[in-house]
Amino acid sequence: MIRARRLVLALAALAGAPALAAGALQDEEPPLADLGRPLVHYATIARNDGAFRRLWIDEASLARARRGEPLPDGTTIAMETFYGPQNRATVFTKLKQGSAWLYGSFEPGQPDWTGLKAKTVCHACHIDAAEDLTFTLPVLAKFGETRSVARLLCDQPGRVPCDATFYDHAGAP
Ligand code: HEC
């Protein structure tokens, strides 16, 4: 099974358009929830344990996002997490202030953007992202150009970062 998924991913990556295997999320995209800010959906990333995340960014920052460049001051990103289409979990947030990222979270349906702060636990993992502490920067930059929501399958469980080439390929022109 895992091998088959890898193959699908490899083929999709070769085609320059990584796609979600089996079309699962296209059919089962959960209804939209209030995130407390007007954000646009740029990607859905599924994990090999059945969990998936839906990622959102503010339009003004999206317009200025470019591969290989830091995101602009004020960039606002939310990431919903799901353990199945009916099973919503925490929404993770981050906000760029100056050159620093502030992190936060809230429970689904109870948006709260107060109290974002520099969090070591988030930073410690995001430091491994190739660009600007943001794993999905290439993905969102491409969405800004194409307006086509990325639907990706990462062959890792939970929050384990995918290989850097995964995000890079997903954002390749
Ligand atoms: C163990 C690693 C890890 C930790 C710890 C972690 N993240 Fe992430 N985060 C990721 C990965 C990997 C992604 C990219 C999405 C994916 O591959 O599923 C991501 C994506 C995000 C995104 C979408 C924008 C981006 O950077 O691509 C937000 C927002 C986010 N995380 C917030 C948080 C917050 C808030 C915390 C701390 C409470 C946190 N993360 C802790 C691994 C981590």
Side-chain angles (χ1 to χ4, degrees):
M1 186 63 180
I2 288 181
R3 187 173 295 164
R5 282 182 169 166
R6 251 193 211 127
L7 181 66
V8 169
L9 207 78
L11 290 175
L14 277 179
L20 192 66
L25 292 183
Q26 282 87 336
D27 301 334
E28 295 189 78
E29 193 79 64
L32 303 186
D34 181 15
L35 295 172
R37 302 236 168 143
L39 304 176
V40 281
H41 176 203
Y42 67 90
T44 297
I45 302 183
R47 295 316 196 106
N48 66 7
D49 56 5
F52 61 95
R53 299 107 172 282
R54 196 158 61 181
L55 297 99
W56 303 76
I57 187 171
D58 70 291
E59 190 74 66
S61 306
L62 180 65
R64 294 168 55 199
R66 301 283 177 276
R67 266 173 88 91
E69 290 178 21
L71 289 160
D73 191 15
T75 298
T76 305
I77 303 180
M79 182 173 73
E80 297 178 277
T81 60
F82 298 86
Y83 294 103
Q86 311 300 332
N87 193 356
R88 285 173 192 271
T90 307
V91 179
F92 293 96
T93 54
K94 62 185 215 177
L95 170 70
K96 195 165 189 191
Q97 217 162 66
S99 58
W101 284 102
L102 306 181
Y103 299 89
S105 64
F106 54 81
E107 289 316 301
Q110 298 167 36
D112 179 5
W113 290 83
T114 60
L116 275 77
K117 50 185 186 219
K119 284 195 188 164
T120 319
V121 59
C122 316
H123 183 83
C125 186
H126 278 254
I127 195 87
D128 289 333
E131 297 174 59
D132 201 10
L133 300 164
T134 304
F135 290 100
T136 57
L137 198 157
V139 181
L140 67 86
K142 182 174 181 182
F143 172 80
E145 289 166 17
T146 63
R147 291 279 152 176
S148 167
V149 177
R151 296 179 193 276
L152 309 166
L153 174 68
C154 167
D155 198 8
Q156 294 283 347
R159 304 206 226 177
V160 179
C162 318
D163 203 80
T165 55
F166 171 85
Y167 305 105
D168 196 47
H169 277 146

